[in-house]
Amino acid sequence: MKLTIKKANEITGGLSNPSKMPCKGYNLPANECKTGAKLRKVNNSVCNGCYALKGNYIRFAKTIFPKMYKALDSIKNPQWVIAMSHLINNQTGKGIDSNYFRWHDSGDIQSIDHLRKIALICENTPTVKHWLPTREYKIVKDYLKKYGSFPKNLIVRLSAHMVNDKAPNINGLNTSTVGYDNGFNCIASKQNNQCLDCRACWDNKVKNVNYKLH
């Protein structure tokens, strides 16, 4: 049976439409972040006052959160990889740049198995550049130990835990920081909190992207 967009949405919970991004994304509940849940209790951490637990995420909680939990549960579905690949290869919508994709505008990777599935999706979508920010350093280390490397079209950015601090150096992977003025400073705040034509986060040559605190 041919996989339709409708069926792929039913399997995965569907893609997200982050207002800042030029492309589609995929979000999971921030409450289920492994490291982030701990950091939310730490003063001056990037996760303290998590943006995914306020604003529109709370305003539309009755519709957003059930969808996020469905997405989280869907990762266990044996058809998840093929369904996500199908949706990403067929991104549509006004202003959507289908050459790019953002992983986890809310939430984070859950396990090595989850990260491996994301890598397989990237392999299935070779014309799309994927950006995956994460604070799950151990999962990344264990993945690299087991599989060696990530697909070339997947930019994994290790996100710093603390404001005004750098992210760790793990196998020379790209990084992102908040308030740590080193590398490329995100310009979204100067253009109505939108990426517009900027693609620095997806660019492997941009080693560190520094953001303002949300």
Side-chain angles (χ1 to χ4, degrees):
M1 183 179 71
K2 183 179 179 181
L3 183 65
T4 63
I5 294 294
K6 181 179 179 181
K7 184 61 178 178
N9 279 322
E10 290 174 357
I11 292 169
T12 64
L15 304 182
S16 63
N17 292 281
S19 59
K20 177 182 178 181
M21 299 292 138
C23 58
K24 297 276 188 174
Y26 195 66
N27 53 24
L28 300 176
N31 283 322
E32 302 303 324
C33 291
K34 304 296 183 182
T35 298
K38 299 173 183 176
L39 288 173
R40 284 201 301 275
K41 303 174 184 178
V42 179
N43 289 334
N44 205 46
S45 78
V46 176
C47 297
N48 188 246
C50 175
Y51 73 87
L53 291 172
K54 58 186 180 182
N56 284 337
Y57 289 93
I58 296 300
R59 194 172 297 115
F60 302 107
K62 289 184 179 180
T63 55
I64 291 177
F65 287 167
K67 182 179 179 180
M68 286 181 179
Y69 275 96
K70 180 179 180 179
L72 180 66
D73 188 60
S74 76
I75 296 168
K76 296 177 287 187
N77 190 310
Q79 291 185 290
W80 188 74
V81 170
I82 191 66
M84 283 294 296
S85 301
H86 187 57
L87 291 177
I88 293 170
N89 274 326
N90 291 278
Q91 292 184 70
T92 58
K94 184 178 180 180
I96 294 297
D97 188 339
S98 60
N99 295 311
Y100 295 84
F101 189 76
R102 159 73 190 265
W103 286 95
H104 307 144
D105 46 291
S106 169
D108 206 337
I109 50 178
Q110 301 291 301
S111 64
I112 297 177
D113 179 64
H114 181 198
L115 184 53
R116 181 56 182 164
K117 288 179 178 179
I118 290 174
L120 291 174
I121 292 167
C122 294
E123 291 176 0
N124 290 341
T125 56
T127 64
V128 178
K129 290 186 177 182
H130 296 255
W131 163 35
L132 170 63
T134 181
R135 291 189 175 82
E136 302 302 334
Y137 306 156
K138 185 177 186 304
I139 291 176
V140 170
K141 285 180 180 178
D142 290 345
Y143 178 94
L144 291 173
K145 184 176 180 180
K146 185 173 183 178
Y147 295 103
S149 62
F150 293 112
K152 290 184 179 180
N153 61 329
L154 172 60
I155 302 300
V156 175
R157 287 194 181 275
L158 302 173
S159 302
H161 288 348
M162 306 300 291
V163 177
N164 298 320
D165 198 7
K166 61 183 179 180
N169 183 350
I170 299 177
N171 287 47
L173 290 176
N174 299 71
T175 59
S176 63
T177 53
V178 174
Y180 185 76
D181 191 4
N182 182 33
F184 178 84
N185 287 310
C186 175
I187 60 175
S189 61
K190 300 177 182 178
Q191 45 193 37
N192 198 30
N193 290 318
Q194 294 182 340
C195 298
L196 298 183
D197 293 331
C198 181
R199 300 292 183 271
C201 295
W202 291 268
D203 190 342
N204 188 52
K205 295 178 182 179
V206 180
K207 291 305 178 182
N208 184 69
V209 177
N210 181 56
Y211 306 104
K212 285 189 173 183
L213 183 64
H214 286 282

